[in-house]
Amino acid sequence: MPSAGSSQPDIGFVTEPARQTPVREDVDVLVVGGGAAGLAAAVSAVRNGARVLLVERYGFLGGTLTNVTLGSICGMYTIDGDEIMQVAGGFVAELVERLKKAGGANGPLRWLETASMPYDAPTLRLVADEIIDECGIRVSFHAAAVGVMKDGSRVSGVIFEDRAGRWAARARTVIDCTGNGDIAAHAGAAFEYDPALLQAPTTMFRFAGVDTERASGITRAELHDRLERAVEAGLQLPRTAGGMFSPRPGVMHLNITRVSRDGAPPDLLDSDDLAWAEMEGRRQLALYEQAFRRFVPGFEDCYIADIGAEIGIRESRRVRGDYWLELNDVLNEARFDDAIACSAWPVEEHSAGRATRWVFLKPGTYYQLPFRIMLPRGIEGLLVAGRCASASHDAHASMRVAATCMAMGEAAGVAAAFASRERLALRDIDVAAVQARLLEQGAFLGNHISERTL
Ligand SMILES: Cc1cc2nc3c(=O)[nH]c(=O)nc-3n(C[C@H](O)[C@H](O)[C@H](O)COP(=O)(O)OP(=O)(O)OC[C@H]3O[C@@H](n4cnc5c(N)ncnc54)[C@H](O)[C@@H]3O)c2cc1C
């Protein structure tokens, strides 16, 4: 796999002995990564008759939603005046319903020129387990994908490592939902990864001891002003424009840190840089605790109650697919005959500086995402769903949010199940049939697909 290069000097190579790796699994659909996209993909594939294995390197599901922890699920809505319209349904709608029943979601909530669904991360972990259990999906936890098996240009399986050693899983279709495109990279797919251009990562955390009634009245603009005052008073905050969501009385989730070195993001494929980034993110928390206590009403007695298990990576590899989603598509209501999802999320770019760049879509509009962004160029047997799918840096800044990743995952699950059932290559499946099935599952594919299909 191409590496980002280490800051350590090159001190030679070792030759590893050849070895035989046991094939532990042989399934129709192998989903690697149990985040937003992977969870949806596995559920969707199994509900369409496939034998599915889901492999995740942590001990729980949800990915960024639960291991980084977010404040809200974004990408479900477009707004027009007072109206909030849903542009993502299917699996994400089911998940939200279940979260609401479990007391772990309340919304939608309007903010800036959009709306999102605040949720509680621990509840999402529990709900994800319930869904997987109900669907009878086999899951391997604490296993990391470290390589692929290939048959010519076709990916035929994945090599994993867990505490017991190495093992392999064969599959008719592999769905790469690792967020970072690990499987695609192992398979030799082309991808874009430019450390100079990446969005900056963020360490997420929660304050407890907050007077949430007072704090919830603070707008994003007021928060920005208050934190700018903290900067004037000498607290060197890297970011002053951020979001806060209260999942429970007394608790506030903060998306406010920004990790960069001399204005440049760390190289997120390099473990040394990642180690620095993780510790730098945590170092910033003490600074924000002081700033909030002194300058933001309702936070006078706040304290850090929880920190995400890892730093939040917004962007890393974007795998080159049969279609490359561009900014023009996002901002100009792109329509595709092979649409498998829609999004209305703005371009939200976190780069150097204390502010965030937002470019909103026209009110009430959305763009479609085509099936082809999940097909890595020149590779068979592999779909890439979620934030590592095929998009330019700017387009990715919109399509990377959780609801859109779930919609992609759901579509990938249906497509993989169909390919397996019909014994067809992914590029030969009937995309109209996939769309019809997605509509039956409650997905929103945009008006022209619904009218054509129903
Ligand atoms: C700081 C931050 C704030 C954000 N805020 C929001 C927000 O408020 N709302 C919103 O909707 N979106 C937000 N996003 C974006 C969004 O959360 C993610 O882009 C989206 O959830 C990605 O989903 P995914 O399934 O593609 O990948 P991930 O959520 O990254 O899931 C990938 C999964 O694969 C597993 N994995 C990775 N590599 C391997 C491997 N080699 N072997 C086995 N398993 C592996 C990981 O452990 C993980 O569970 C934010 C992102 C960040 C970083």
Side-chain angles (χ1 to χ4, degrees):
M1 176 167 36
S3 95
S6 164
S7 50
Q8 296 296 321
D10 181 358
I11 50 172
F13 294 93
V14 288
T15 304
E16 294 187 73
R19 55 183 151 189
Q20 285 206 312
T21 301
V23 178
R24 235 167 61 180
E25 308 279 348
D26 193 344
V27 291
D28 298 326
V29 180
L30 171 62
V31 180
V32 187
L39 180 57
V43 169
S44 184
V46 88
R47 284 180 177 165
N48 284 284
R51 289 173 307 123
V52 177
L53 175 69
L54 170 60
V55 185
E56 163 57 46
R57 70 182 160 155
Y58 288 132
F60 54 89
L61 300 167
T64 312
L65 286 160
T66 51
N67 62 32
V68 172
T69 75
L70 311 177
S72 68
I73 297 172
C74 301
M76 282 185 82
Y77 309 105
T78 179
I79 61 166
D80 193 0
D82 289 339
E83 212 181 337
I84 301 182
M85 290 160 288
Q86 208 164 310
V87 296
F91 179 77
V92 66
E94 176 186 340
L95 181 74
V96 164
E97 272 319 299
R98 284 173 176 258
L99 284 169
K100 282 186 169 174
K101 271 198 195 124
N106 57 344
L109 179 79
R110 285 192 65 144
W111 50 279
L112 293 179
E113 292 163 47
T114 186
S116 64
M117 178 62 65
Y119 76 99
D120 179 54
T123 310
L124 201 152
R125 282 197 200 191
L126 304 180
V127 168
D129 283 350
E130 254 172 48
I131 298 175
I132 290 290
D133 208 33
E134 264 176 45
C135 294
I137 296 170
R138 286 195 318 102
V139 179
S140 282
F141 279 147
H142 298 295
V146 294
V148 295
M149 287 124 75
K150 276 182 89 180
D151 187 0
S153 62
R154 194 177 85 80
V155 173
S156 56
V158 175
I159 312 276
F160 295 98
E161 274 182 3
D162 61 18
R163 288 188 188 119
R166 277 163 87 90
W167 55 277
R170 270 201 205 102
R172 206 178 153 78
T173 302
V174 175
I175 311 182
D176 182 346
C177 297
T178 61
N180 299 311
D182 284 7
I183 307 303
H186 283 303
F191 59 82
E192 242 186 45
Y193 175 79
D194 181 356
L197 196 73
L198 292 176
Q199 293 210 40
T202 288
T203 298
M204 298 289 218
F205 65 102
R206 284 167 196 231
F207 281 135
V210 179
D211 178 345
T212 34
E213 222 167 281
R214 272 169 72 216
S216 297
I218 300 169
T219 64
R220 283 173 93 95
E222 282 161 4
L223 178 65
H224 173 63
D225 287 349
R226 300 232 168 225
L227 294 180
E228 281 293 323
R229 273 192 237 166
V231 173
E232 277 162 30
L235 290 169
Q236 296 194 343
L237 306 176
R239 178 177 166 203
T240 50
M244 51 184 194
F245 295 88
S246 174
R248 305 255 176 222
V251 179
M252 195 63 90
H253 174 91
L254 271 302
N255 177 349
I256 193 73
T257 69
R258 176 163 293 164
V259 175
S260 63
R261 186 158 35 197
D262 303 326
D267 181 343
L268 300 166
L269 300 183
D270 182 278
S271 325
D272 292 348
D273 246 18
L274 262 179
W276 173 82
E278 292 279 10
M279 289 192 275
E280 168 60 18
R282 289 192 285 271
R283 187 192 66 78
Q284 291 178 9
L285 302 192
L287 209 58
Y288 279 101
E289 190 179 58
Q290 278 187 59
F292 273 81
R293 281 185 177 181
R294 284 175 56 194
F295 293 92
V296 188
F299 289 82
E300 293 79 2
D301 299 316
C302 72
Y303 61 94
I304 296 160
D306 184 29
I307 307 172
E310 67 174 5
I311 192 166
I313 295 180
R314 292 188 169 85
E315 177 184 12
S316 60
R317 295 187 193 93
R318 288 172 282 103
V319 176
R320 281 262 173 196
D322 286 1
Y323 187 83
W324 185 244
L325 196 77
E326 297 271 10
L327 181 63
N328 185 40
D329 296 322
V330 169
L331 297 181
N332 293 306
E333 301 174 54
R335 295 292 179 265
F336 300 99
D337 281 345
D338 63 338
I340 43 83
C342 293
S343 176
W345 194 249
V347 174
E348 177 195 347
E349 194 187 17
H350 299 250
S351 21
R354 292 200 296 272
T356 299
R357 181 171 81 102
W358 293 90
V359 184
F360 291 91
L361 275 64
K362 287 175 220 113
T365 68
Y366 58 84
Y367 62 94
Q368 294 178 320
L369 295 97
F371 179 55
R372 285 163 292 158
I373 65 167
M374 300 196 295
L375 289 169
R377 254 180 5 197
I379 309 268
E380 306 294 331
L382 180 66
L383 287 163
V384 174
R387 73 171 163 86
C388 44
S390 177
S392 71
H393 168 78
D394 291 327
H396 174 268
S398 162
M399 59 70 99
R400 69 188 173 86
V401 290
T404 317
C405 290
M406 285 186 218
M408 280 186 259
E410 181 167 10
V414 174
F418 280 19
S420 167
R421 191 182 68 199
E422 324 260 323
R423 309 206 82 67
L424 286 173
L426 290 164
R427 286 179 175 77
D428 294 334
I429 60 169
D430 179 1
V431 178
V434 173
Q435 291 169 329
R437 180 64 186 137
L438 286 170
L439 291 175
E440 278 170 19
Q441 292 182 183
F444 178 74
L445 300 185
N447 295 334
H448 89 279
I449 300 293
S450 307
E451 281 154 20
R452 193 187 71 192
T453 310
L454 296 175

Short mmCIF file of all heavy atoms in Angstrom, two decimals, residues 32-37 55-58 63-64 67 70 72-74 143-145 177-179 182 202 204 255 312-314 386-387 400-402 405, ligand 1:
data_model
loop_
_atom_site.label_atom_id
_atom_site.label_comp_id
_atom_site.label_asym_id
_atom_site.label_seq_id
_atom_site.Cartn_x
_atom_site.Cartn_y
_atom_site.Cartn_z
N VAL A 32 -16.18 -4.28 5.09
CA VAL A 32 -15.05 -3.95 5.97
C VAL A 32 -15.24 -2.54 6.50
O VAL A 32 -15.29 -1.57 5.73
CB VAL A 32 -13.69 -4.07 5.24
CG1 VAL A 32 -12.56 -3.89 6.24
CG2 VAL A 32 -13.57 -5.40 4.52
N GLY A 33 -15.38 -2.45 7.83
CA GLY A 33 -15.63 -1.15 8.47
C GLY A 33 -17.09 -1.04 8.84
O GLY A 33 -17.97 -1.15 7.98
N GLY A 34 -17.35 -0.82 10.14
CA GLY A 34 -18.74 -0.77 10.62
C GLY A 34 -19.18 0.62 11.00
O GLY A 34 -19.88 0.81 11.99
N GLY A 35 -18.78 1.63 10.22
CA GLY A 35 -19.24 3.00 10.46
C GLY A 35 -20.60 3.23 9.81
O GLY A 35 -21.36 2.27 9.57
N ALA A 36 -20.90 4.49 9.54
CA ALA A 36 -22.20 4.84 8.95
C ALA A 36 -22.45 4.01 7.69
O ALA A 36 -23.50 3.36 7.54
CB ALA A 36 -22.21 6.34 8.62
N ALA A 37 -21.49 4.01 6.78
CA ALA A 37 -21.67 3.31 5.50
C ALA A 37 -21.70 1.80 5.71
O ALA A 37 -22.55 1.10 5.16
CB ALA A 37 -20.55 3.69 4.54
N VAL A 55 -16.75 -6.80 9.26
CA VAL A 55 -15.53 -6.82 10.07
C VAL A 55 -15.17 -5.39 10.47
O VAL A 55 -15.13 -4.49 9.62
CB VAL A 55 -14.35 -7.47 9.32
CG1 VAL A 55 -13.14 -7.59 10.24
CG2 VAL A 55 -14.73 -8.85 8.79
N GLU A 56 -14.89 -5.21 11.76
CA GLU A 56 -14.63 -3.87 12.30
C GLU A 56 -13.43 -3.94 13.24
O GLU A 56 -13.30 -4.86 14.03
CB GLU A 56 -15.91 -3.39 13.02
CG GLU A 56 -15.75 -2.23 13.98
CD GLU A 56 -15.16 -0.97 13.35
OE1 GLU A 56 -15.60 -0.57 12.25
OE2 GLU A 56 -14.24 -0.39 13.96
N ARG A 57 -12.58 -2.93 13.15
CA ARG A 57 -11.34 -2.99 13.95
C ARG A 57 -11.56 -2.61 15.42
O ARG A 57 -10.70 -2.88 16.27
CB ARG A 57 -10.26 -2.09 13.34
CG ARG A 57 -10.56 -0.65 13.47
CD ARG A 57 -9.54 0.25 12.84
NE ARG A 57 -10.20 1.54 12.62
CZ ARG A 57 -9.60 2.69 12.53
NH1 ARG A 57 -8.30 2.75 12.58
NH2 ARG A 57 -10.29 3.79 12.35
N TYR A 58 -12.66 -1.92 15.73
CA TYR A 58 -12.97 -1.66 17.15
C TYR A 58 -13.96 -2.70 17.67
O TYR A 58 -14.35 -3.60 16.92
CB TYR A 58 -13.56 -0.25 17.32
CG TYR A 58 -12.55 0.86 17.15
CD1 TYR A 58 -12.83 1.96 16.34
CD2 TYR A 58 -11.32 0.82 17.79
CE1 TYR A 58 -11.90 2.99 16.19
CE2 TYR A 58 -10.39 1.84 17.64
CZ TYR A 58 -10.69 2.92 16.83
OH TYR A 58 -9.78 3.93 16.69
N GLY A 63 -18.59 3.77 13.76
CA GLY A 63 -17.47 4.51 13.17
C GLY A 63 -17.36 5.90 13.79
O GLY A 63 -17.46 6.06 15.02
N THR A 64 -17.20 6.90 12.93
CA THR A 64 -17.02 8.27 13.41
C THR A 64 -18.15 8.69 14.35
O THR A 64 -17.93 9.42 15.32
CB THR A 64 -16.98 9.24 12.21
OG1 THR A 64 -16.07 8.71 11.25
CG2 THR A 64 -16.51 10.61 12.61
N ASN A 67 -17.03 6.46 17.59
CA ASN A 67 -15.66 6.43 18.13
C ASN A 67 -15.03 7.83 18.19
O ASN A 67 -14.21 8.10 19.06
CB ASN A 67 -14.75 5.42 17.39
CG ASN A 67 -14.55 5.73 15.93
OD1 ASN A 67 -14.55 6.88 15.52
ND2 ASN A 67 -14.39 4.70 15.12
N LEU A 70 -20.08 12.52 17.36
CA LEU A 70 -20.52 13.75 16.70
C LEU A 70 -21.71 14.31 17.47
O LEU A 70 -22.27 13.63 18.32
CB LEU A 70 -20.95 13.48 15.26
CG LEU A 70 -19.98 12.66 14.39
CD1 LEU A 70 -20.59 12.41 13.02
CD2 LEU A 70 -18.65 13.36 14.25
N SER A 72 -24.51 15.66 15.74
CA SER A 72 -25.76 15.41 15.03
C SER A 72 -25.50 14.67 13.72
O SER A 72 -24.39 14.72 13.19
CB SER A 72 -26.49 16.73 14.75
OG SER A 72 -25.79 17.49 13.80
N ILE A 73 -26.54 13.98 13.25
CA ILE A 73 -26.46 13.30 11.96
C ILE A 73 -26.84 14.32 10.89
O ILE A 73 -27.94 14.88 10.91
CB ILE A 73 -27.42 12.09 11.92
CG1 ILE A 73 -26.99 11.07 12.98
CG2 ILE A 73 -27.48 11.47 10.53
CD1 ILE A 73 -27.97 9.93 13.19
N CYS A 74 -25.91 14.59 9.98
CA CYS A 74 -26.13 15.61 8.97
C CYS A 74 -26.40 14.96 7.61
O CYS A 74 -25.99 13.82 7.37
CB CYS A 74 -24.90 16.51 8.82
SG CYS A 74 -24.45 17.37 10.33
N ALA A 143 -10.73 -6.85 14.55
CA ALA A 143 -9.94 -7.42 13.44
C ALA A 143 -9.72 -6.30 12.42
O ALA A 143 -10.68 -5.62 12.03
CB ALA A 143 -10.70 -8.58 12.80
N ALA A 144 -8.47 -6.12 12.03
CA ALA A 144 -8.15 -5.04 11.09
C ALA A 144 -7.78 -5.64 9.74
O ALA A 144 -7.02 -6.62 9.68
CB ALA A 144 -6.99 -4.21 11.62
N ALA A 145 -8.31 -5.04 8.69
CA ALA A 145 -7.95 -5.46 7.34
C ALA A 145 -6.52 -5.01 7.05
O ALA A 145 -6.19 -3.83 7.25
CB ALA A 145 -8.91 -4.84 6.33
N CYS A 177 -15.75 0.05 3.44
CA CYS A 177 -16.39 1.11 4.23
C CYS A 177 -15.44 1.56 5.32
O CYS A 177 -15.86 1.88 6.44
CB CYS A 177 -17.70 0.60 4.83
SG CYS A 177 -18.94 0.14 3.62
N THR A 178 -14.15 1.55 5.05
CA THR A 178 -13.14 1.89 6.07
C THR A 178 -12.99 3.39 6.27
O THR A 178 -12.22 3.82 7.12
CB THR A 178 -11.76 1.31 5.71
OG1 THR A 178 -11.35 1.88 4.46
CG2 THR A 178 -11.79 -0.21 5.60
N GLY A 179 -13.69 4.19 5.49
CA GLY A 179 -13.54 5.65 5.61
C GLY A 179 -12.27 6.15 4.95
O GLY A 179 -12.25 7.20 4.32
N ASP A 182 -8.96 1.92 2.78
CA ASP A 182 -7.85 0.98 3.01
C ASP A 182 -7.88 -0.18 2.03
O ASP A 182 -6.84 -0.60 1.51
CB ASP A 182 -7.92 0.38 4.43
CG ASP A 182 -7.46 1.35 5.50
OD1 ASP A 182 -7.21 2.52 5.17
OD2 ASP A 182 -7.34 0.92 6.67
N THR A 202 -10.34 17.05 13.92
CA THR A 202 -10.86 17.65 15.16
C THR A 202 -10.99 16.59 16.24
O THR A 202 -11.51 15.51 15.97
CB THR A 202 -12.26 18.28 14.88
OG1 THR A 202 -12.09 19.46 14.11
CG2 THR A 202 -12.99 18.64 16.17
N MET A 204 -13.07 15.53 19.25
CA MET A 204 -14.41 15.85 19.78
C MET A 204 -14.45 15.57 21.28
O MET A 204 -13.78 14.63 21.75
CB MET A 204 -15.46 14.98 19.09
CG MET A 204 -15.55 15.21 17.60
SD MET A 204 -16.29 16.81 17.25
CE MET A 204 -17.25 16.36 15.82
N ASN A 255 -17.84 20.57 18.89
CA ASN A 255 -17.05 20.37 17.68
C ASN A 255 -16.29 21.67 17.49
O ASN A 255 -16.76 22.58 16.79
CB ASN A 255 -18.01 20.08 16.51
CG ASN A 255 -17.30 19.92 15.19
OD1 ASN A 255 -16.11 20.21 15.07
ND2 ASN A 255 -18.01 19.46 14.19
N GLY A 312 -10.97 12.95 15.07
CA GLY A 312 -11.91 12.86 13.96
C GLY A 312 -11.26 13.25 12.64
O GLY A 312 -10.83 14.39 12.45
N ILE A 313 -11.18 12.27 11.74
CA ILE A 313 -10.56 12.51 10.42
C ILE A 313 -11.67 12.79 9.42
O ILE A 313 -12.50 11.93 9.14
CB ILE A 313 -9.73 11.28 10.00
CG1 ILE A 313 -8.56 11.12 10.97
CG2 ILE A 313 -9.25 11.41 8.56
CD1 ILE A 313 -7.65 9.95 10.67
N ARG A 314 -11.67 13.99 8.90
CA ARG A 314 -12.73 14.35 7.94
C ARG A 314 -12.43 13.82 6.55
O ARG A 314 -13.32 13.47 5.80
CB ARG A 314 -12.87 15.88 7.87
CG ARG A 314 -13.41 16.48 9.14
CD ARG A 314 -13.73 17.95 8.98
NE ARG A 314 -14.48 18.42 10.13
CZ ARG A 314 -13.95 18.83 11.27
NH1 ARG A 314 -12.63 18.85 11.41
NH2 ARG A 314 -14.70 19.22 12.27
N GLY A 386 -19.19 5.44 1.39
CA GLY A 386 -18.90 6.32 2.53
C GLY A 386 -17.96 7.43 2.12
O GLY A 386 -17.84 7.77 0.94
N ARG A 387 -17.24 7.95 3.11
CA ARG A 387 -16.47 9.18 2.83
C ARG A 387 -15.26 8.96 1.94
O ARG A 387 -14.62 9.92 1.53
CB ARG A 387 -16.09 9.88 4.14
CG ARG A 387 -15.00 9.22 4.94
CD ARG A 387 -14.56 10.10 6.09
NE ARG A 387 -13.82 9.35 7.07
CZ ARG A 387 -12.51 9.12 7.01
NH1 ARG A 387 -11.81 9.59 6.01
NH2 ARG A 387 -11.93 8.42 7.95
N ARG A 400 -19.52 13.88 2.49
CA ARG A 400 -18.89 13.04 3.51
C ARG A 400 -19.74 12.86 4.77
O ARG A 400 -19.36 12.10 5.66
CB ARG A 400 -17.55 13.66 3.91
CG ARG A 400 -17.71 14.95 4.66
CD ARG A 400 -16.41 15.69 4.90
NE ARG A 400 -16.65 16.99 5.49
CZ ARG A 400 -16.79 17.22 6.77
NH1 ARG A 400 -16.70 16.25 7.63
NH2 ARG A 400 -17.02 18.45 7.22
N VAL A 401 -20.88 13.56 4.90
CA VAL A 401 -21.61 13.50 6.19
C VAL A 401 -22.36 12.18 6.37
O VAL A 401 -22.58 11.43 5.42
CB VAL A 401 -22.55 14.72 6.38
CG1 VAL A 401 -21.75 15.99 6.60
CG2 VAL A 401 -23.51 14.87 5.21
N ALA A 402 -22.76 11.92 7.62
CA ALA A 402 -23.19 10.58 8.02
C ALA A 402 -24.41 10.06 7.24
O ALA A 402 -24.42 8.89 6.81
CB ALA A 402 -23.47 10.55 9.51
N CYS A 405 -23.40 9.05 3.81
CA CYS A 405 -22.59 7.82 3.86
C CYS A 405 -23.50 6.61 4.07
O CYS A 405 -23.29 5.55 3.47
CB CYS A 405 -21.55 7.90 4.97
SG CYS A 405 -20.23 9.08 4.60
C1 LIG B 1 -14.56 15.96 13.46
C2 LIG B 1 -15.67 15.52 12.58
C3 LIG B 1 -16.91 16.08 12.72
C4 LIG B 1 -17.95 15.66 11.92
N1 LIG B 1 -19.19 16.15 12.15
C5 LIG B 1 -20.23 15.57 11.55
C6 LIG B 1 -21.55 15.82 11.97
O1 LIG B 1 -21.79 16.58 12.91
N2 LIG B 1 -22.55 15.17 11.34
C7 LIG B 1 -22.32 14.30 10.31
O2 LIG B 1 -23.28 13.74 9.79
N3 LIG B 1 -21.10 14.05 9.88
C8 LIG B 1 -20.05 14.63 10.50
N4 LIG B 1 -18.78 14.30 10.13
C9 LIG B 1 -18.56 13.44 8.96
C10 LIG B 1 -19.02 12.01 9.17
O3 LIG B 1 -19.08 11.69 10.51
C11 LIG B 1 -18.15 10.98 8.52
O4 LIG B 1 -17.60 11.41 7.32
C12 LIG B 1 -18.96 9.73 8.25
O5 LIG B 1 -19.58 9.29 9.45
C13 LIG B 1 -18.07 8.70 7.66
O6 LIG B 1 -18.72 7.46 7.64
P1 LIG B 1 -17.97 6.22 6.99
O7 LIG B 1 -18.82 5.04 7.30
O8 LIG B 1 -17.62 6.52 5.58
O9 LIG B 1 -16.58 6.10 7.75
P2 LIG B 1 -16.25 5.96 9.33
O10 LIG B 1 -17.32 6.52 10.17
O11 LIG B 1 -14.88 6.51 9.44
O12 LIG B 1 -16.24 4.39 9.53
C14 LIG B 1 -15.18 3.59 9.12
C15 LIG B 1 -15.15 2.35 9.99
O13 LIG B 1 -14.19 1.44 9.49
C16 LIG B 1 -13.37 0.95 10.54
N5 LIG B 1 -12.08 0.65 9.92
C17 LIG B 1 -11.22 1.52 9.37
N6 LIG B 1 -10.16 0.90 8.86
C18 LIG B 1 -10.35 -0.41 9.10
C19 LIG B 1 -9.58 -1.57 8.81
N7 LIG B 1 -8.42 -1.49 8.16
N8 LIG B 1 -10.05 -2.78 9.20
C20 LIG B 1 -11.25 -2.88 9.87
N9 LIG B 1 -12.02 -1.79 10.17
C21 LIG B 1 -11.57 -0.58 9.79
C22 LIG B 1 -13.33 2.10 11.53
O14 LIG B 1 -13.00 1.67 12.81
C23 LIG B 1 -14.75 2.65 11.42
O15 LIG B 1 -15.63 1.99 12.30
C24 LIG B 1 -17.71 14.69 10.92
C25 LIG B 1 -16.46 14.13 10.77
C26 LIG B 1 -15.45 14.52 11.61
C27 LIG B 1 -14.13 13.87 11.48
#
